[in-house]
């Protein structure tokens, strides 16, 4: 079952795999995140398939969705994991993932995080600055270990995506500038407790064309050559993540098309096929495998504008408020007994920025259910408790089975760590 077919109408009722979303709402309440197990597995498998016959490690970028059950099912499918905190490492371990398939990314790794990651035996640290390199060398020395390292190079290419999620331009905080990388590699190679393993980049997220990846690959290969000439041999190239999904009408390349293009570029390079390849995909593995199920509380009209006020809000799905992101809105029951009107779909939070969708034609009444589409990535992972709203329940659908993979939070749990005045 591919991602498009995981959420489909059967006789005007929207299903997740073989379960009616209306039944899920009745049983588990709303708002609820609903994921399709097979959609996740199919998306991951398409990357694995595209890597067949190559020395490749396909990692799931945990930040996109860090639910333990999702980590576990990807771990069972053989995934590695891209992490950006000690907390994410603990999740991988708790879900039965293999630390030797973990890449540790991120611009601000603390000493404590480095220690934990070294002790756990992660595959590679993607180092983003010279200061970080020196710190890692010190921490590794204190553990009597050598830290496996890639430098995350900023290739200065435009991924053509939203400025908040573009990371590979010179002005971003990420990575080591291309022109400084050679010097930092020389420095790294001379450090006793650092083992230079590879080179990494990640140019942004929701990328919908192959070209920026190829431009970045060329920049990395230039450096690989310069390092080779310098006697520094690398073992792997990490192309990062960032492959886009269809939210509306985007037409991103398939996993296969992207990876084939990259492999072709690599194979044209005289020593290209010698290098292992790593990837760090998040959104393209889980994004279209989840919806946010919500109920319409009220319909109202202010002047010319009509609003559908739903029980999910910006605290549940922050992407529209933060990036003006588009998410499809699917009525759970397709009805022809009410007229379609144009609505802004908004939440109960006290902010004008609290909207989930704007100006959508919907045939709905109060009490109806809506599925906010493509919410599997950076949905629950970015959710907050703003307005003391308990975070939604998370459910994993597998055929006709529904499993609660995170219970709905209780209000009491939200202030359990707080203390009354002494
Ligand atoms: N590797 C690194 C180093 C990253 O920073 C990211 C994402 C990924 C991999 C995974 O990228 P993906 O394949 O998921 O595009 N909250 C934003 C997205 C932020 C992405 C941050 N970095 C959103 O909701 O669109």
């Amino acid at each position: 079952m591919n991602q498009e077919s995981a959420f489909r109408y059967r006789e005007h009722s929207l299903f997740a795999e073989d379960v009616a979303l209306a039944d899920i709402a009745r049983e588990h309440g709303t708002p609820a995140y609903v994921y399709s197990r097979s959609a996740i597995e199919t998306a991951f498998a398409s990357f694995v398939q595209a890597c067949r016959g190559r020395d490749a490690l396909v990692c799931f970028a945990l930040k996109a969705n860090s639910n333990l059950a999702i980590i576990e099912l990807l771990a069972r499918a053989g995934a590695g994991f891209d992490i950006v905190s000690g907390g994410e490492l603990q999740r991988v371990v708790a879900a039965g993932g293999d630390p030797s398939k973990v890449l540790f990314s991120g611009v601000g790794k603390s000493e404590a995080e480095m220690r934990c990651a070294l002790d756990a035996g992660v595959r590679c640290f993607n180092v983003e600055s010279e200061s970080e390199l020196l710190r890692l060398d010190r921490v590794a020395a204190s553990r009597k270990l050598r830290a496996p390292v890639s430098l995350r190079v900023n290739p200065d290419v435009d991924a053509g995506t939203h400025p908040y999620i573009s990371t590979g331009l010179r002005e971003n905080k990420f990575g080591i500038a291309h022109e400084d990388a050679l010097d930092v590699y020389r420095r790294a190679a001379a450090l006793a407790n650092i083992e230079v393993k590879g080179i990494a980049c990640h140019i942004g997220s929701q990328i919908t064309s192959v070209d920026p990846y190829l431009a970045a690959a060329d920049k990395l290969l230039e450096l690989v050559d310069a390092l080779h000439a310098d006697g520094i041999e690398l073992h792997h190239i990490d192309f990062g993540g960032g492959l886009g999904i269809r939210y509306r009408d985007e037409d991103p390349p398939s996993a296969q098309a992207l990876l084939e293009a990259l492999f072709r570029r690599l194979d044209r390079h005289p020593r290209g096929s010698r290098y292992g390849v790593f990837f760090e995909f998040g959104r393209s593995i889980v994004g279209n495998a989840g919806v946010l199920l919500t109920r319409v509380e009220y319909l109202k009209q202010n002047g010319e504008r009509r609003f559908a006020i739903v029980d999910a809000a910006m605290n549940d799905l922050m992407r529209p408020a933060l990036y003006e992101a588009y998410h499809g809105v699917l009525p759970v029951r397709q009805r022809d007994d009410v007229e379609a009107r144009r609505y802004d779909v908004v939440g109960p939070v006290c902010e004008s920025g609290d909207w989930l969708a704007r100006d959508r034609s919907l045939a709905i009444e109060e009490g109806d259910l809506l599925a906010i589409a493509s919410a599997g990535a950076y949905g629950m992972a970015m959710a907050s408790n703003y307005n003391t709203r308990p975070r939604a329940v998370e459910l994993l659908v597998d055929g006709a089975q529904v499993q609660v993979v995170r219970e709905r939070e209780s209000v009491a749990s939200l202030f359990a760590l707080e203390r009354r005045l002494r």
Side-chain angles (χ1 to χ4, degrees):
M1 190 173 298
N2 66 29
Q3 310 206 13
E4 274 74 35
S5 62
F7 298 95
R8 256 204 327 218
Y9 287 100
R10 293 190 193 168
E11 286 162 22
H12 305 291
S13 167
L14 189 60
F15 275 63
E17 299 197 16
D18 298 327
V19 188
L21 286 171
D23 291 341
I24 290 182
R26 201 170 306 117
E27 175 122 352
H28 299 279
T30 52
Y33 273 101
V34 182
Y35 308 117
S36 156
R37 177 174 183 162
S38 76
I40 298 170
E41 287 173 338
T42 307
F44 180 70
S46 65
F47 287 106
V48 172
Q49 178 75 9
C51 290
R52 230 179 2 171
R54 305 201 66 114
D55 174 12
L57 177 64
V58 182
C59 294
F60 172 58
L62 220 66
K63 63 168 80 72
N65 189 323
S66 51
N67 183 282
L68 291 185
I70 289 178
I71 300 172
E72 186 171 1
L73 73 85
L74 287 167
R76 286 195 202 165
F81 296 96
D82 173 66
I83 62 162
V84 289
S85 70
E88 288 191 344
L89 176 57
Q90 287 187 42
R91 281 185 179 274
V92 172
V93 172
D98 178 355
S100 75
K101 290 183 175 176
V102 165
L103 310 177
F104 194 173
S105 299
V107 287
K109 302 174 193 77
S110 71
E111 287 195 9
E113 288 175 323
M114 288 175 173
R115 269 196 300 276
C116 291
L118 282 166
D119 292 348
V122 300
R123 172 71 66 94
C124 198
F125 289 83
N126 288 352
V127 167
E128 301 219 13
S129 67
E130 189 162 349
S131 303
E132 183 191 334
L133 184 68
L134 298 177
R135 175 186 280 187
L136 183 58
D137 181 56
R138 256 189 294 114
V139 175
S142 76
R143 311 309 269 186
K144 302 195 167 44
L145 291 168
R146 291 186 82 202
V149 159
S150 283
L151 296 189
R152 173 170 172 188
V153 173
N154 186 332
D156 194 26
V157 301
D158 187 355
T161 181
H162 188 284
Y164 281 14
I165 53 176
S166 164
T167 49
L169 279 173
R170 189 188 300 274
E171 63 255 34
N172 291 128
K173 71 178 174 182
F174 298 102
I176 295 171
H178 189 260
E179 61 270 23
D180 300 335
L182 202 51
D183 281 345
V184 184
Y185 266 109
R186 289 185 183 127
R187 188 96 202 250
L191 292 170
N193 294 87
I194 295 291
E195 192 175 356
V196 173
K197 288 282 198 187
I199 188 164
C201 73
H202 171 77
I203 54 177
S205 200
Q206 184 55 16
I207 300 168
T208 52
S209 129
V210 170
D211 299 341
Y213 283 98
L214 295 179
D218 286 342
K219 290 286 195 87
L220 293 196
L221 287 169
E222 258 174 45
L223 269 171
V224 168
D225 286 340
L227 290 166
H228 176 73
D230 230 41
I232 301 175
E233 285 308 334
L234 303 183
H235 302 276
H236 72 255
I237 303 181
D238 177 344
F239 292 106
L243 178 59
I245 61 170
R246 176 170 300 169
Y247 286 100
R248 185 179 197 165
D249 50 12
E250 302 90 333
D251 195 15
S254 65
Q256 186 177 349
L258 173 62
L259 270 51
E260 265 177 13
L262 277 169
F263 293 151
R264 238 179 286 132
R265 188 60 57 105
L266 211 52
D267 292 342
R268 271 208 330 244
H269 183 273
R271 292 177 320 284
S273 53
R274 278 201 226 157
Y275 302 109
V277 288
F278 293 179
F279 297 100
E280 311 167 355
F281 293 110
R283 190 190 315 266
S284 49
I285 294 174
V286 290
N288 275 329
V291 299
L292 173 59
L293 185 59
T294 183
R295 193 176 288 280
V296 178
E297 297 276 14
Y298 302 102
L299 296 178
K300 79 184 238 183
Q301 186 166 2
N302 276 356
E304 290 297 285
R305 268 193 123 72
R306 289 175 197 275
F307 295 92
I309 300 170
V310 298
D311 65 2
M314 64 186 288
N315 73 293
D316 298 301
L317 180 64
M318 204 179 174
R319 303 191 69 257
L322 196 56
Y323 316 116
E324 303 201 339
Y326 179 99
H327 286 262
V329 177
L330 304 169
V332 167
R333 180 156 74 97
Q334 290 175 316
R335 50 198 299 168
D336 50 17
D337 57 335
V338 295
E339 208 182 314
R341 297 180 189 284
R342 304 199 76 85
Y343 292 98
D344 285 2
V345 179
V346 303
V349 163
C350 302
E351 302 248 2
S352 296
D354 180 26
W355 58 277
L356 299 173
R358 281 192 172 139
D359 199 26
R360 303 300 169 82
S361 173
L362 294 165
I364 48 172
E365 286 198 327
E366 293 183 355
D368 282 5
L369 294 164
L370 299 175
I372 311 295
S374 314
Y378 306 108
M380 184 63 171
M382 293 172 75
S384 79
N385 296 118
Y386 188 39
N387 281 204
T388 304
R389 290 172 48 86
R391 276 178 294 177
V393 64
E394 288 181 288
L395 304 156
L396 184 67
V397 174
D398 181 6
Q401 310 285 326
V402 181
Q403 189 195 336
V404 175
V405 292
R406 189 176 199 269
E407 289 184 31
R408 186 181 303 287
E409 288 176 343
S410 68
V411 171
S413 76
L414 300 192
F415 53 74
L417 300 179
E418 297 171 33
R419 297 293 174 259
R420 302 274 307 268
L421 282 178
R422 262 188 292 167

